[in-house]
Amino acid sequence: MRSRSAVRGFGDLEAVLMDRIWDRDVDTTTVRELFDELAAEREIAYTTVMSTMDNLHRKGWLAREREGRAYRYWPTVTREEHSARLMHEALGVGGRSDLVLSHFVDRISADEFAGLRAALRRVATRRSEEN
């Protein structure tokens, strides 16, 4: 069985780190800051956090800039942009896209449905203005 994070396109620790980075109130973070948070909750090596963040940078999920002897990292996409990419990928590999969308809409709440309708209206308006 695949883990929730693997389905999201990240390995387990990658998903934990990205969630923490997206949840932060600051724009950038360091390996030390994330390590200190994680080490308070579980046994983990600093080098594990460092190499995972480096991997996320090499994969294009994190950008970084040197600050003294360390790097400051920030996400290259928002959580919502990442989720939208995953939804688009699922739509492309899930069979007939019209049926996938129909099954998806059948499963969302009334509030989510209202949000979807509002998003569709915004996109339709923007596209009509572009043409």
Side-chain angles (χ1 to χ4, degrees):
M1 184 172 125
R2 297 181 69 175
S3 71
R4 178 179 149 250
S5 56
V7 171
R8 292 181 47 211
F10 296 120
D12 289 336
L13 184 56
E14 288 176 336
V16 167
L17 291 175
M18 288 304 296
D19 280 338
R20 295 217 178 212
I21 291 168
W22 281 323
D23 287 343
R24 296 179 88 69
D25 291 332
V26 294
D27 292 334
T28 66
T29 193
T30 64
V31 171
R32 172 60 61 189
E33 291 166 346
L34 286 177
F35 167 75
D36 289 345
E37 284 180 27
L38 289 172
E41 300 168 10
R42 65 164 101 174
E43 193 167 314
I44 191 165
Y46 178 89
T47 54
T48 301
V49 176
M50 182 176 66
S51 62
T52 303
M53 288 179 72
D54 185 58
N55 288 341
L56 287 165
H57 169 71
R58 280 189 290 103
K59 292 177 179 180
W61 296 110
L62 294 176
R64 70 182 181 194
E65 181 175 83
R66 189 172 282 284
E67 182 179 274
R69 292 177 39 198
Y71 285 106
R72 294 209 68 82
Y73 290 86
W74 62 92
T76 58
V77 296
T78 65
R79 181 190 323 260
E80 293 77 13
E81 290 168 329
H82 173 64
S83 294
R85 287 179 183 179
L86 290 175
M87 291 168 67
H88 188 256
E89 287 176 26
L91 190 60
V93 299
R96 288 184 36 202
S97 59
D98 60 329
L99 292 178
V100 172
L101 285 170
S102 179
H103 288 295
F104 172 74
V105 170
D106 282 343
R107 287 173 175 74
I108 63 177
S109 70
D111 287 344
E112 291 166 332
F113 187 80
L116 177 59
R117 287 182 61 149
L120 289 170
R121 279 193 300 273
R122 284 191 304 273
V123 170
T125 300
R126 187 181 72 235
R127 286 185 178 178
S128 68
E129 291 170 355
E130 290 172 356
N131 294 329

